[in-house]
Amino acid sequence: MLNALEVFTTVVVGVMVGVEFSVAFVINRILDALPEDSGQLGRAHGGRMLGAVMPVWYIGSFVLVAVRAIAGWHQHGTGLVVTAGALLILGVIMSILLLVPINNRGKTWTPENRPEDWKEQMNRWDRFHYVRVAVLIAAFAVLVAALT
């Protein structure tokens, strides 16, 4: 049963990290290269769509890691599992304090109502997101190291 939990947790966390990596290094670069207002409209739509899904995915990932830490408390690697959980919580805190406020503004923007500094705000979001992706990759790497 613990093995199944470990596999499921690894897949859920790994796919989440992959999505965030893709947003940072693939999707946003594609959107930024689109002509005229298409990129901004795409970012607004992505902000609405992922803004609805990712909080559940982040918290669900943390809960799975916490359940694994508790269920396997005396197993090899539990300290690393706890570290992975702490890094996931750091990602949540970063999201709430740094990224969500920008995302909440950006997801409502249209070419008609966006502020003049919208590109600067998106660049700020991107910089924070790069740091969050690094934290999430570290969490995933530590989790995998703990479970192998």
Side-chain angles (χ1 to χ4, degrees):
M1 184 70 160
L2 190 60
N3 285 343
L5 174 63
E6 290 174 347
V7 169
F8 185 69
T9 301
T10 302
V11 170
V12 169
V13 173
V15 173
M16 180 188 74
V17 172
V19 167
E20 292 291 32
F21 182 90
S22 176
V23 167
F25 297 103
V26 179
I27 302 301
N28 283 349
R29 290 176 188 236
I30 291 169
L31 292 174
D32 290 345
L34 292 175
E36 300 175 13
D37 297 322
S38 300
Q40 185 265 308
L41 292 169
R43 278 182 176 256
H45 180 68
R48 288 186 299 274
M49 187 182 78
L50 290 173
V53 172
M54 295 314 285
V56 175
W57 209 342
Y58 271 72
I59 298 302
S61 293
F62 172 74
V63 167
L64 286 169
V65 169
V67 168
R68 165 45 184 90
I70 293 165
W73 190 252
H74 297 293
Q75 300 288 324
H76 170 74
T78 299
L80 290 175
V81 174
V82 170
T83 301
L87 288 168
L88 289 174
I89 286 296
L90 177 59
V92 169
I93 292 168
M94 290 177 65
S95 297
I96 292 168
L97 295 179
L98 303 173
L99 290 116
V100 169
I102 299 169
N103 188 63
N104 284 344
R105 290 189 301 272
K107 69 184 183 182
T108 65
W109 294 339
T110 66
E112 293 78 31
N113 73 359
R114 67 186 178 211
E116 288 184 27
D117 70 339
W118 74 272
K119 286 185 181 181
E120 290 80 14
Q121 290 189 53
M122 290 296 95
N123 288 335
R124 188 176 319 116
W125 188 93
D126 287 343
R127 288 189 305 273
F128 291 146
H129 184 62
Y130 293 142
V131 175
R132 178 175 61 180
V133 168
V135 169
L136 295 175
I137 289 170
F140 183 62
V142 170
L143 180 65
V144 170
L147 303 179
T148 56

